[in-house]
Amino acid sequence: MSPETATGNRRATSLSREQVALAALEVLDREGLEGLSMRRLAGELGVGTMTLYGYFRGKRELLDAVVDVATEDFVAPEPVGGFREQLVAYSLASFEWLLRHPMVVQLRGEEAIIRPAALGVSERVLQLLLDAGLGPEEAARAFRVLFTYLFGSALFAPREATEDERRALLAAHLSLPEERFPAIREAAPYAAAATGGRDQFLYGLECIVDGIEARKDRYSAASSHQ
Amino acid sequence: MSPETATGNRRATSLSREQVALAALEVLDREGLEGLSMRRLAGELGVGTMTLYGYFRGKRELLDAVVDVATEDFVAPEPVGGFREQLVAYSLASFEWLLRHPMVVQLRGEEAIIRPAALGVSERVLQLLLDAGLGPEEAARAFRVLFTYLFGSALFAPREATEDERRALLAAHLSLPEERFPAIREAAPYAAAATGGRDQFLYGLECIVDGIEARKDRYSAASSHQ
DNA sequence: ACCTGAACACCGTTCAAGT
DNA sequence: ACCTGAACACCGTTCAAGT
């Protein structure tokens, strides 16, 4: 709360880029993208606003560094199991990581940020696809589909609805005229559970992996079972 | 450009909510979310900034109205063909609509906006899933997967890379050390084509529909061929 | 009633001045 | 060198005053 707690270095004669980025990440995780301003962060660190411009060219460069710092706490799963198990495990670990740092998703949406720190995971997943028998073109496309679904889920379907949201959604759906919206009304009791969260993410992920596997089998002449 | 062109009504004694929303949409389509400020929009309409607050409680309410207005130019495809063809046609039409109004995607990311205007499409897709034999719970989940992939694609993979971006991406990938990143290097020539656009969207969509169909067949006792 | 300028509490960043 | 206050050109919105 007070300037000292942020870094324990209130004199600020020797901040590092990493210290600044870590403090920014803390604010972002706590209060979201809107909560972070240069003025605010400087205050938190106990330095003048313009001091930050000695470490970073501007806010964008700072945010890039924050994404790098955030990437470091990605927890890679053990590489055990077959093609399918590993693909699911890596995707789920990525999903959970993005939920811990929602601003990475928002930043990726505003403008493409490709940070080298995440390359390790990309390499692993791409290798899985190639090993499974997909050609490099097919593998590149499949990889990108997984990436798009992952980020889409993290942004548009991060969590299950709260009890209040469930009630509101159900009420909204059931208030629709029966003749025009029979399908929405029929699915209404299940809509809330499908809005997001781990189970919903896994459901879609399994669909996509099914599709990838079907394609894989189509490409390797003989379709092997499992 | 000049105040008159926006609505042809520079005296502004009788603007309507819709006129204001349309003018806002025009600015958004032209210059993106960052380009729209209340002050700017008021200037474009030839009225004082605070006049807008007579039509909308605040910026958020204005943006909700803009999404409604934008929804009106969604072009629904003809409902011809089977389950698969129609699902693909509706998804593709939605993708193309979102690309025409990128701010809908950005707004949907910042906070959940569920606008009634889009309910017609939802009803149609949900009905397709139910007709195909999915139970209501399964249909709700499948629908949400399609929704998430659609919005994810519109935000994270809207278009193919430009020639410059292709070159930059290829160079970046090929500069990686061969021992640590063999898979990325192998897929590098195809990475650019997979970054986004219509073909990539369709590739992933087919994967997902494959997965949904597989589930459908699993639920209806006998798996029918096509 | 309807419209709006001034003011408030914010932004990111430039620039010139402090030590 | 390193740091920073004042200033500039912006925001969204409140409030009181104009007609």
Side-chain angles (χ1 to χ4, degrees), chain B residues 122-182:
Chain B
S122 301
E123 171 67 20
R124 194 78 196 87
V125 171
L126 216 33
Q127 191 60 260
L128 279 170
L129 294 166
L130 291 169
D131 288 349
L134 269 71
E137 185 176 357
E138 197 85 358
R141 285 210 181 275
F143 173 79
R144 252 284 166 165
V145 170
L146 289 168
F147 174 89
T148 300
Y149 177 68
L150 169 67
F151 273 74
S153 295
L155 190 57
F156 299 113
R159 53 175 182 75
E160 288 186 65
T162 64
E163 198 52 53
D164 279 0
E165 290 167 337
R166 296 176 98 91
R167 265 197 301 273
L169 189 61
L170 185 62
H173 282 173
L174 292 183
S175 73
L176 295 170
E178 185 140 21
E179 279 129 50
R180 270 207 61 196
F181 300 103

Side-chain angles (χ1 to χ4, degrees), chain A residues 154-221:
Chain A
L155 190 57
F156 299 112
R159 52 174 183 77
E160 288 187 64
T162 63
E163 198 52 54
D164 279 0
E165 289 167 338
R166 296 176 97 92
R167 265 197 301 272
L169 188 62
L170 186 60
H173 281 175
L174 292 183
S175 74
L176 295 171
E178 184 140 21
E179 278 129 50
R180 270 207 62 198
F181 300 104
I184 290 181
R185 287 179 61 105
E186 190 177 342
Y190 310 98
T195 46
R198 198 188 130 106
D199 287 351
Q200 173 64 17
F201 176 71
L202 284 174
Y203 181 90
L205 185 60
E206 299 276 357
C207 285
I208 293 172
V209 178
D210 277 345
I212 294 173
E213 275 199 310
R215 243 144 279 259
K216 178 193 82 177
D217 294 342
R218 207 175 305 158
Y219 271 67
S220 39

Side-chain angles (χ1 to χ4, degrees), chain B residues 12-13 39 47-48 50-51 55:
Chain B
T13 42
R39 287 168 151 95
V47 298
M50 294 318 300
T51 305
Y55 299 95

Side-chain angles (χ1 to χ4, degrees), chain B residues 30-164:
Chain B
R30 216 183 325 124
E31 308 186 31
L33 202 55
E34 315 254 284
L36 186 80
S37 72
M38 298 300 270
R39 287 168 151 95
R40 164 80 193 279
L41 179 61
E44 200 107 353
L45 287 165
V47 298
T49 305
M50 294 318 300
T51 305
L52 300 180
Y53 286 80
Y55 299 95
F56 301 96
R57 219 182 273 279
K59 197 181 187 183
R60 178 182 317 202
E61 196 179 290
L62 167 62
L63 290 174
D64 284 353
V66 172
V67 174
D68 281 343
V69 166
T71 304
E72 278 166 32
D73 81 7
F74 173 79
V75 184
E78 292 298 310
V80 293
F83 162 77
R84 192 178 189 102
E85 289 80 1
Q86 286 199 45
L87 219 48
V88 169
Y90 271 95
S91 300
L92 190 57
S94 301
F95 183 62
E96 283 165 349
W97 170 68
L98 287 177
L99 292 195
R100 284 203 300 281
H101 303 295
M103 86 289 165
V104 174
V105 189
Q106 288 175 257
L107 290 174
R108 185 61 184 69
E110 285 178 13
E111 56 200 286
I113 293 177
I114 304 156
R115 302 274 84 204
L119 279 178
V121 190
S122 301
E123 171 67 20
R124 194 78 196 87
V125 171
L126 216 33
Q127 191 60 260
L128 279 170
L129 294 166
L130 291 169
D131 288 349
L134 269 71
E137 185 176 357
E138 197 85 358
R141 285 210 181 275
F143 173 79
R144 252 284 166 165
V145 170
L146 289 168
F147 174 89
T148 300
Y149 177 68
L150 169 67
F151 273 74
S153 295
L155 190 57
F156 299 113
R159 53 175 182 75
E160 288 186 65
T162 64
E163 198 52 53
D164 279 0

